[in-house]
Amino acid sequence: MTTDSPTFRRSHGFLPTEMTGLDTLTGLALDLRWSWNHAADALWQQLDAELWDRTHNPWVVLQTASREALQQRLADPAFRAQMAALLAQQQCAAAEPKWFQSQHPAAALTCVAYFSMEFMLSEALPIYVGGLGNVAGDQLKSASDLGVPVVAVGLLYQQGYFRQEIDRQGAQQALFPYNDPGQLPITPLRLASGEWLRLKIALSGFPVWLRTWQVRVGGVMLYLLDSNDAANLPVHRGLTAELYGGGMELRIQQEIILGIGGWQLLKALGIKPEVCHLNEGHAAFVVLERARTLMQETGLAFAAALAVARPGNLFTTHTAVAAGFDHFSPALMSQFLGDYARQELKIDFETLMALGRQSPTNPAESFNMAFLAIRGGGAVNGVSRLHGAVSRQLFGALFPRWPTDEVPVGHVTNGVHMPSWDAEAADALWTAACGKDRWRGGLDALAAHIGQVPDEALWQLRTSCRQDLVAYTRARLARQFTVSGQPPALVDIASKVFDENTLTIGFARRFVAYKRPNLLLHDPERFIRLLTNRAQPVQLVLAGKAPPFDEAGKALIQQWMQFIAQHNLYQHVVFLSDYDLLLAEHLVQGVDVWLNTPRRPWEACGTSGMKVLVNGGLNLSELDGWWAEAYAPEVGWALGDGQEHGDDPAQDAAEADALYTLLETQVGPEFYQRDARGIPVRWVERMRQSMATLTPQFSANRTVREYTENYYLPAATRYAQRAANKGAAGAAIVQQRQHIGDEWDKLAFGEVQTEAVANGYLFRVPVRLGALTPDQVLVELYANGLGGAAALRIPLVPDAASSAEGRYQYQALVTTTRPAGDFTARLLPTYEGLAVPLEDDRILWQR
Ligand SMILES: *Cc1c(COP(=O)(O)O)cnc(C)c1O
């Protein structure tokens, strides 16, 4: 990476530098590899066991440990040997060729820049809320494992998202502890001269300085920006304080910092990505700034520069409802980007606005960031198969007259970074079965190997993981009750909740209505009978934050707290506060069943259920998001009928009923039915199937390989073609689009003639092309697919010569048993190397 070059120096804060060996420790502490590779844990523990236990942040341990302790340790030959081994391991991991280098040695891809509003890498770097950050963080870690050349760009929040406490009344309280950059495992970027690398951008006419940071994630770098620079006005210093806080005025400025500031940072570092991956629309302004750079480098006008950049931009949408997209009013856009459009992009403001509008010329319409990402992107994808289909509907309006199936949105189903989520015991079991490097290449052999692990070993894994969770729950709940001022008697109860051998269900996610976190409370009496059944008891551990201004979400939490207290169910139901990565880790490692109850199709993908797979946990989930494609009867349980019902209360009631029935008649009995060895054989067989078939498929390893092969590599090639010769292709595209536009209204179909022939028809289609030539358009027959099959597209072939006024006779011989009336002729523009309809959505139908 560029920052390893002598131009940039790292600073290590307040550490004494004269101790030998300290550099090695620093290098280890500042590489977030420790978030998934626990080989160094013992080292940090020796420096300060208590602090290590509290923070799991090696960088804090290293800075806080007393000088004596440091000196003592560094003088200890055993400690030094451990350190040297870890250093060798780190260097070896950096040097060895990985999947990408061995599979794609001649790739045109040298760098993907991954932009995201949040990254969830470790609880020691709290710059995330949940799902979106999880996807970003786990993909970075997998890119490091696989050697995919990724750099990432995000924001450094001084407070981040709120931390949750539950008070004695069961109400959520929001806390905002300060993220001291000196205590985070990050380093400021510096120029060769030693001064901090700062960037200056303009916001609403004011210069705003951005500070820059780097985070090492194994072989991948994450760069962060923040505005808390002493030279800034007070209003600007706090811009990057909170994640998803404040209103739209704050949000637009954060997104400008991420997209425009982020691209400038890469430029300052000399990084030239072929591909920009926009993780959600928040970062979409980067497409403007990338085009602006091309304008400066090539002299192209904005439209041509954007055409050059487009194939190098990939947009991943994570939203399942139209209301979920960020959009900004024309007034806000004008305030923050009016001058930028006119002075930097040299376009008028309405031209900029058109990029973010459904109807480009509607002055009342606000600016939608997802629309900008689509209009500036060369490919778009949703995050599960179902979400791909939902997104094609959501974005259908941008492609008028196109069938929904052809709306250009594909999908790459998310996955999770298995080494980050596996329990120690699971790691040992997988290592024995599949080897140490199992997540670093192809995964084809894993299923067969894990399929052979004996019943005893699988059940032992489950038992020991559940025991750990019970112990953790007791300690954590007791602390939680103490902090919130609960009476000592209740603290004492907290330290004894749960049972190590009881079927344990987990439910943890944001408390928002569509996730239906209170579905189990639909019939309290039935639920209590289920929990306290003597032969088949159940215990439930809950966690999750409600958005700070979502009163309904907070009420859902309070409803649970009151339910537990009112019915004295402390032994059976526990709500743990402050759901974050650390808590998620304990939960997904320990539970037997992970429950998920969203209203279909609002869960775009969901990832928490994937984290239990590697640990032998089973999923019971609504057929939504990833589970709609993962579910099979032998791997878990499904809720819902695979249809959409909105927020119909009758459907909620029916699904609550189905959930109780599943738990009573299938989940409970299977868990408690033991053979002579004391093993629940059917349960263990489900574990085996789930681990063998789903773990590889829903790992971020598979996700990142899919992004690389289906998106990054083709994008890099197409971008290189457009960028060649100072972006000559860009100007040609703009010109041809204009030319087609000039003729478009003159294009027309004549009377189609159909002649029945053996096994089908001969279609003759007269077409008037005006001044266009047949190589500039594609004329084809289209028929709906039957019974869920793909639609038919049959190209028509023109006569060699045209008659007067550009009239051509097109024809095709079609073998079919369908009626001729099923086929409709249509015409679309066609260009060398241009994605239609993404880059040109015009289409003309015969009728
Ligand atoms: C995995 C995870 C999420 C995302 O889970 P969903 O399945 O989208 O609910 C959210 N928050 C945390 C802390 C996580 O670990």
Side-chain angles (χ1 to χ4, degrees):
M1 294 295 134
T2 315
T3 42
D4 287 339
S5 75
T7 335
F8 294 96
R9 258 183 18 186
R10 299 211 198 96
S11 139
H12 299 139
F14 309 103
L15 281 175
T17 47
E18 71 279 13
M19 285 184 220
T20 51
L22 199 63
D23 270 1
T24 304
L25 282 181
T26 301
L28 292 171
L30 289 173
D31 181 348
L32 264 62
R33 188 183 298 279
W34 47 250
S35 67
W36 72 91
N37 179 339
H38 296 285
D41 289 7
L43 214 67
W44 311 120
Q45 190 152 23
Q46 289 173 63
L47 283 178
D48 189 331
E50 193 189 335
L51 196 60
W52 167 248
D53 193 47
R54 276 283 155 78
T55 65
H56 277 245
N57 179 340
W59 183 232
V60 165
V61 170
L62 187 57
Q63 288 183 96
T64 317
S66 72
R67 298 271 305 257
E68 280 121 281
L70 261 178
Q71 247 147 6
Q72 240 176 38
R73 290 285 143 239
L74 286 171
D76 173 3
F79 188 89
R80 294 190 68 95
Q82 251 178 327
M83 222 169 68
L86 287 162
L87 181 67
Q89 209 185 67
Q90 189 189 38
Q91 287 167 343
C92 177
E96 73 196 352
K98 307 196 178 56
W99 169 85
F100 182 79
Q101 286 69 34
S102 67
Q103 293 299 304
H104 302 285
L109 178 71
T110 66
C111 180
V112 177
Y114 188 100
F115 289 79
S116 179
M117 199 73 165
E118 40 171 315
F119 289 90
M120 173 162 127
L121 292 157
S122 159
E123 67 272 21
L125 185 58
I127 55 170
Y128 63 88
V129 173
L132 188 73
N134 180 210
V135 164
D138 279 16
Q139 284 180 21
L140 285 199
K141 292 175 182 177
S142 290
S144 169
D145 291 346
L146 294 166
V148 180
V150 173
V151 299
V153 180
L155 300 181
L156 177 66
Y157 303 99
Q158 279 68 53
Q159 295 174 330
Y161 199 56
F162 78 95
R163 306 291 300 267
Q164 180 196 52
E165 287 287 344
I166 304 291
D167 70 17
R168 264 190 300 174
Q169 283 69 46
Q172 165 175 302
Q173 302 298 333
L175 305 171
F176 286 93
Y178 174 64
N179 289 339
D180 177 355
Q183 305 263 291
L184 302 175
I186 64 178
T187 34
L189 289 167
R190 288 172 189 266
L191 298 170
S193 52
E195 71 203 62
W196 287 29
L197 170 63
R198 292 150 79 230
L199 301 170
K200 191 165 81 172
I201 63 165
L203 286 174
S204 202
F206 289 99
V208 175
W209 289 97
L210 302 175
R211 303 191 298 179
T212 64
W213 311 84
Q214 78 169 11
V215 188
R216 176 178 285 283
V217 185
V220 166
M221 284 298 180
L222 163 62
Y223 298 109
L224 299 174
L225 292 160
D226 86 312
S227 70
N228 190 16
D229 189 288
N232 286 337
L233 294 174
V235 287
H236 294 139
R237 290 192 63 171
L239 289 177
T240 54
E242 272 186 58
L243 173 53
Y244 305 137
M248 294 320 278
E249 182 164 344
L250 179 64
R251 183 68 65 85
I252 193 173
Q253 294 179 85
Q254 289 188 340
E255 295 189 2
I256 289 171
I257 294 174
L258 178 63
I260 295 178
W263 180 262
Q264 288 185 7
L265 174 57
L266 296 180
K267 225 158 87 172
L269 295 173
I271 297 173
K272 294 186 170 153
E274 294 88 19
V275 179
C276 287
H277 187 165
L278 315 186
N279 188 44
E280 192 52 291
H282 306 129
F285 290 137
V286 73
V287 309
L288 303 178
E289 186 65 6
R290 187 178 185 181
R292 188 177 79 95
T293 299
L294 278 164
M295 290 168 67
Q296 290 171 337
E297 288 171 359
T298 61
L300 290 172
F302 174 72
L306 187 65
V308 172
R310 271 186 88 162
N313 295 328
L314 167 64
F315 169 42
T316 298
T317 171
H318 292 258
T319 309
V321 284
F325 299 118
D326 272 355
H327 34 83
F328 302 118
S329 70
L332 267 187
M333 285 294 291
S334 169
Q335 181 185 347
F336 289 104
L337 289 162
D339 286 347
Y340 178 78
R342 288 180 292 267
Q343 291 161 18
E344 306 293 339
L345 305 181
K346 317 261 192 266
I347 55 177
D348 59 37
F349 178 63
E350 287 304 314
T351 307
L352 171 64
M353 288 302 290
L355 289 169
R357 282 175 173 153
Q358 183 181 316
S359 325
T361 54
N362 175 0
E365 202 181 316
S366 59
F367 188 92
N368 182 320
M369 292 297 279
F371 293 175
L372 173 64
I374 290 176
R375 297 219 175 91
V380 183
N381 74 283
V383 289
S384 68
R385 190 168 63 208
L386 178 61
H387 180 244
V390 168
S391 302
R392 286 190 284 278
Q393 276 168 1
L394 283 179
F395 295 128
L398 293 193
F399 302 91
R401 296 175 299 280
W402 280 87
T404 305
D405 282 355
E406 292 181 74
V407 171
V409 182
H411 77 270
V412 176
T413 303
N414 287 334
V416 295
H417 184 248
M418 294 300 169
S420 289
W421 298 105
D422 58 2
E424 229 177 280
D427 180 28
L429 181 142
W430 281 84
T431 303
C434 307
K436 196 166 60 59
D437 290 329
R438 62 192 175 278
W439 300 116
R440 318 192 64 207
L443 306 177
D444 296 340
L446 299 192
H449 290 144
I450 210 73
Q452 278 160 17
V453 176
D455 288 359
E456 287 85 350
L458 289 178
W459 189 237
Q460 178 53 41
L461 166 68
R462 199 79 299 288
T463 307
S464 78
C465 285
R466 188 184 325 101
Q467 284 169 351
D468 288 349
L469 176 60
V470 168
Y472 183 78
T473 302
R474 289 171 177 168
R476 184 149 172 158
L477 187 67
R479 194 186 67 196
Q480 184 179 316
F481 278 4
T482 308
V483 170
S484 65
Q486 296 283 16
L490 211 51
V491 175
D492 188 50
I493 287 175
S495 64
K496 296 179 186 125
V497 295
F498 279 7
D499 179 282
E500 290 184 346
N501 297 309
T502 292
L503 167 60
T504 306
I505 299 179
F507 180 99
R509 50 192 35 84
R510 281 185 311 127
F511 270 57
V512 291
Y514 86 84
K515 299 216 180 208
R516 296 187 293 190
N518 56 350
L519 196 67
L520 277 171
L521 294 177
H522 188 78
D523 180 347
E525 301 309 319
R526 188 170 174 190
F527 182 47
I528 292 169
R529 281 200 301 278
L530 185 93
L531 291 167
T532 57
N533 181 319
R534 274 178 194 279
Q536 301 177 3
V538 173
Q539 57 200 18
L540 172 69
V541 54
L542 299 150
K545 299 173 179 177
F549 300 106
D550 180 352
E551 296 310 319
K554 286 192 244 179
L556 293 172
I557 294 176
Q558 204 153 17
Q559 195 187 349
W560 270 110
M561 304 310 291
Q562 284 165 354
F563 172 78
I564 296 166
Q566 187 187 344
H567 300 282
N568 193 18
L569 284 167
Y570 295 101
Q571 286 302 332
H572 292 273
V573 186
V574 166
F575 187 103
L576 293 178
S577 63
D578 203 26
Y579 182 44
D580 71 350
L581 187 151
L582 177 67
L583 177 53
E585 231 172 76
H586 284 280
L587 296 177
V588 299
Q589 292 172 2
V591 300
D592 299 300
V593 175
W594 191 254
L595 179 68
N596 192 14
T597 53
R599 290 198 178 106
R600 182 175 155 128
W602 291 338
E603 183 95 312
C605 179
T607 49
S608 55
M610 301 174 185
K611 300 169 192 166
V612 306
L613 299 171
V614 71
N615 297 303
L618 299 175
N619 280 275
L620 191 179
S621 173
E622 179 77 23
L623 286 172
D624 192 11
W626 76 285
W627 194 238
E629 69 194 72
Y631 168 72
E634 60 275 15
V635 296
W637 297 276
L639 210 54
D641 56 7
Q643 304 295 319
E644 282 90 54
H645 300 274
D647 54 3
D648 179 7
Q651 183 66 19
D652 291 349
E655 290 193 13
D657 186 63
L659 176 54
Y660 296 132
T661 305
L662 262 181
L663 292 170
E664 289 158 359
T665 63
Q666 292 191 34
V667 182
E670 273 188 30
F671 183 87
Y672 286 104
Q673 219 165 62
R674 306 295 163 91
D675 68 1
R677 299 169 297 174
I679 293 179
V681 216
R682 290 192 58 189
W683 191 278
V684 168
E685 188 48 33
R686 263 186 211 277
M687 283 174 61
R688 185 180 284 116
Q689 292 299 328
S690 163
M691 291 170 85
T693 61
L694 301 186
T695 314
Q697 195 185 344
F698 296 97
S699 66
N701 165 304
R702 190 269 310 145
T703 307
V704 170
R705 285 185 297 132
E706 225 171 284
Y707 272 119
T708 303
E709 296 186 332
N710 299 352
Y711 288 93
Y712 298 160
L713 288 167
T717 306
R718 290 175 58 216
Y719 172 69
Q721 285 160 357
R722 293 232 184 137
N725 302 325
K726 293 200 160 230
I733 288 166
V734 171
Q735 207 171 32
Q736 192 180 346
R737 215 189 265 138
Q738 179 70 39
H739 179 51
I740 293 175
D742 290 344
E743 297 299 310
W744 192 253
D745 288 343
K746 301 176 201 154
L747 306 184
F749 285 103
E751 194 69 32
V752 176
Q753 283 165 15
T754 321
E755 184 184 318
V757 296
N759 303 322
Y761 313 95
L762 176 67
F763 287 91
R764 288 202 189 84
V765 184
V767 185
R768 191 173 67 208
L769 291 185
L772 298 185
T773 51
D775 62 326
Q776 292 172 320
V777 297
L778 184 65
V779 183
E780 59 186 18
L781 290 170
Y782 175 90
N784 285 330
L786 295 181
L792 299 175
R793 295 178 62 173
I794 301 157
L796 289 155
V797 182
D799 290 346
S802 74
S803 55
E805 296 183 300
R807 285 174 202 277
Y808 289 83
Q809 185 81 261
Y810 278 76
Q811 63 175 36
L813 194 61
V814 180
T815 307
T816 181
T817 53
R818 296 175 63 174
D822 279 11
F823 295 84
T824 312
R826 64 183 203 176
L827 179 156
L828 35 140
T830 177
Y831 307 72
E832 172 83 32
L834 195 102
V836 172
L838 185 60
E839 295 184 84
D840 190 336
D841 63 14
R842 285 175 287 206
I843 186 165
L844 180 70
W845 293 84
Q846 165 213 341
R847 57 181 153 86

